[in-house]
Amino acid sequence: MENGFRMILEGMGEDPSREGLLDTPKRVAKMYAELMTSLRSESNPSEILKTRFHEKYDEMIVVPNIEFASMCEHHFLPFTGRAFVAYIPGDCVVGLSKIPRVVEYFARMPQIQERMTRQIAELIQKELNPRGVAVLLEASHMCMTMRGVKKPGATMVTTQLLGRFKTDEKTRAEFMTYIHREGC
Ligand SMILES: Nc1nc2c(ncn2[C@@H]2O[C@H](COP(=O)(O)OP(=O)(O)OP(=O)(O)O)[C@@H](O)[C@H]2O)c(=O)[nH]1
Ligand SMILES: [Zn+2]
């Protein structure tokens, strides 16, 4: 990555040997390693959801306003926003912090928003076998705000509904009520 970024600097018309840029390729390589931790072969998202509690609770659990920053795989610029996750448990609930950890996991790789939305929902469905999962992401893409079409403030909203959220209108409406309450 260091050599690659040195070449990118040269391609831009910069001089990678000037003082201010001398350590930049090393810093950038370290930064991408940090931003892309989920690409490491040892990272396993299933591990995140292993802390489960067997509770008799069959109503909706909503975890709103999970802030995230990911990287658009087309331009390698950040897209940032908030995730809203809800599920209706089957026979267990999961440790609360684990839901933002799932969002974080799928943010730490080159992404597009639609795929990230689906992956979050599918992992929760697979690991917890709940009665339903709903994921909504609202994000602003820097590739659309600081370059290209240049529309500051433009956001995209994506949703993935599984199980009861897909089949039952009342459940979906309850989820949307929480979403609207949060100003989304
Ligand atoms: N659906 C979707 N599109 C995305 C996402 N992130 C970036 N894009 C879009 O990916 C597209 C890539 O389009 P291209 O025409 O190949 O690239 P480009 O010439 O840089 O396009 P412009 O951004 O329109 O200048 C752009 O329309 C981006 O807005 C995302 O998460 N989901
Ligand atoms: Zn982009």
Side-chain angles (χ1 to χ4, degrees), residues 92-157:
C92 64
V93 298
V94 74
L96 173 61
S97 65
K98 308 305 179 188
I99 298 292
R101 280 189 190 285
V102 171
V103 174
E104 191 66 10
Y105 177 85
F106 289 111
R108 296 293 184 180
M109 57 179 71
Q111 269 292 12
I112 76 164
Q113 189 178 324
E114 293 90 333
R115 186 168 68 235
M116 183 174 159
T117 312
R118 178 177 54 77
Q119 286 173 324
I120 295 167
E122 284 180 349
L123 184 75
I124 295 170
Q125 185 63 46
K126 175 169 153 259
E127 293 301 322
L128 302 183
N129 198 23
R131 293 179 170 90
V133 185
V135 178
L136 183 146
L137 262 51
E138 181 192 40
S140 165
H141 292 242
M142 221 175 247
C143 65
M144 258 183 67
T145 58
M146 73 176 279
R147 63 155 293 286
V149 70
K150 292 203 188 95
K151 293 288 172 223
T155 59
M156 176 160 76
V157 178

Side-chain angles (χ1 to χ4, degrees), residues 31 37 58 60 69 80 97 112 116 122 149 168 174:
M31 176 191 75
T37 43
D58 60 4
M60 190 180 298
T80 58
S97 65
I112 76 164
M116 183 174 159
E122 284 180 349
V149 70
D168 182 36
E174 187 184 338

Side-chain angles (χ1 to χ4, degrees), residues 11-29:
M12 287 172 188
E14 257 294 0
D15 171 12
S17 65
R18 73 176 172 83
E19 193 191 352
L21 291 178
L22 264 184
D23 288 332
T24 296
K26 194 163 71 181
R27 284 190 206 99
V28 171

Side-chain angles (χ1 to χ4, degrees), residues 59-93:
E59 293 297 329
M60 190 180 298
I61 295 169
V62 186
V63 188
N65 276 316
I66 306 166
E67 288 191 15
F68 72 87
S70 186
M71 197 66 90
C72 151
E73 70 183 14
H74 305 132
H75 299 94
F76 258 73
L77 282 173
F79 64 97
T80 58
R82 302 180 290 167
F84 300 79
V85 178
Y87 69 104
I88 302 169
D91 66 348
C92 64
V93 298

